[in-house]
């Protein structure tokens, strides 16, 4: 384990007119309507395994199912040539805002323009859930382009917080030993 200072950055958008769209790519978007813990866990680990997404790794099947069957949670998956390339998960918050809970691409689809386009779609979809505010947070151990992508699409920083975390020497990857050396 290593002690690491992590900066969490909170961003928001207060109007759908603030979206700065990215150019479309060949990515197609489908809502994952049927609750499927296996698929959701795959997305979570495949996208977040390189970036220390670990808070849900210990969830049981029932915890995943309980989470996914909540009315205020919705997930969309981006596909490239029939292969899952990334996803975003939205939640409608008690204050009627919409939060991008999770967002990202599988490693082999990073750097091809899909992230900007997927985020554009995430923001447009989030604004269908609210007329008040869309928000998200990222941190300094997330993908190196995450913060820039959020800002490039029109989200503005409204807060930053720093905290010390005990983290493994390397991110967990989608499964043990799977982390590619070039990440």
């Amino acid at each position: 384990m290593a002690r690491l200072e992590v900066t969490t950055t909170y961003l928001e958008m207060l109007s759908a007119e603030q979206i700065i769209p990215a150019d479309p790519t060949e990515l197609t978007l489908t809502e994952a309507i049927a609750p499927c813990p296996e698929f959701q866990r795959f997305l979570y680990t495949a996208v977040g395994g390189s970036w220390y997404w670990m808070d849900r790794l210990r969830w049981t099947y029932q915890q995943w199912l309980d989470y996914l069957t909540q009315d205020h949670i919705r997930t969309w998956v981006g596909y490239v040539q029939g292969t899952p390339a990334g996803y975003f998960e939205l939640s409608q918050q008690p204050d009627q805002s919409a939060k991008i809970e999770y967002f990202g691409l599988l490693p082999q689809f990073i750097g091809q323009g899909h992230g900007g386009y997927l985020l554009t779609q995430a923001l447009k979809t989030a604004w269908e859930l609210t007329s008040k505010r869309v928000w998200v947070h990222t941190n300094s151990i997330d993908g190196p382009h995450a913060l820039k992508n959020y800002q490039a699409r029109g989200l503005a920083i409204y807060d930053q917080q720093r905290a010390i975390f005990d983290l493994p020497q390397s991110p967990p990857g989608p499964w043990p030993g799977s982390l590619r050396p070039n990440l």
Side-chain angles (χ1 to χ4, degrees):
M1 294 294 251
R3 292 186 64 75
L4 187 63
E5 182 178 79
V6 176
T7 301
T8 301
T9 302
Y10 297 84
L11 302 101
E12 68 183 352
M13 183 177 283
L14 301 176
S15 166
E17 289 74 35
Q18 293 175 304
I19 297 173
I20 302 168
D23 292 333
T25 67
E26 63 181 307
L27 186 134
T28 59
L29 196 63
T30 302
E31 184 174 5
I33 297 171
C36 182
E38 298 90 345
F39 187 53
Q40 192 79 11
R41 189 177 195 284
F42 158 76
L43 293 169
Y44 177 83
T45 59
V47 170
S50 299
W51 316 116
Y52 288 100
W53 291 10
M54 300 185 323
D55 55 325
R56 295 183 181 180
L57 290 181
R58 296 185 194 272
W59 279 17
T60 65
Y61 182 91
Q62 190 62 50
Q63 286 173 299
W64 278 102
L65 185 60
D66 291 346
Y67 179 77
L68 295 172
T69 55
Q70 296 177 84
D71 290 336
H72 69 281
I73 301 296
R74 297 178 63 190
T75 302
W76 283 262
V77 183
Y79 293 87
V80 173
Q81 299 178 351
T83 301
Y87 83 113
F88 59 88
E89 180 183 295
L90 303 177
S91 68
Q92 198 164 28
Q93 299 291 294
D95 68 358
Q96 299 308 306
S97 67
K99 180 182 179 193
I100 300 173
E101 293 283 352
Y102 287 93
F103 171 87
L105 296 172
L106 278 76
Q108 59 268 45
F109 295 99
I110 293 172
Q112 301 168 33
H114 300 305
Y117 182 62
L118 184 62
L119 183 55
T120 298
Q121 299 310 306
L123 290 166
K124 288 179 179 180
T125 305
W127 278 109
E128 293 173 8
L129 303 177
T130 185
S131 60
K132 185 175 181 178
R133 174 179 176 243
V134 173
W135 64 285
V136 65
H137 71 270
T138 188
N139 59 54
S140 55
I141 55 174
D142 207 347
H145 305 290
L147 181 58
K148 290 181 211 169
N149 190 21
Y150 291 134
Q151 291 177 302
R153 303 287 72 79
L155 287 148
I157 295 172
Y158 70 90
D159 192 18
Q160 286 189 315
Q161 297 177 7
R162 289 177 179 73
I164 303 292
F165 290 94
D166 290 321
L167 296 170
Q169 293 290 3
S170 62
W175 61 81
S178 66
L179 214 72
R180 297 187 328 196
N182 62 345
L183 286 179

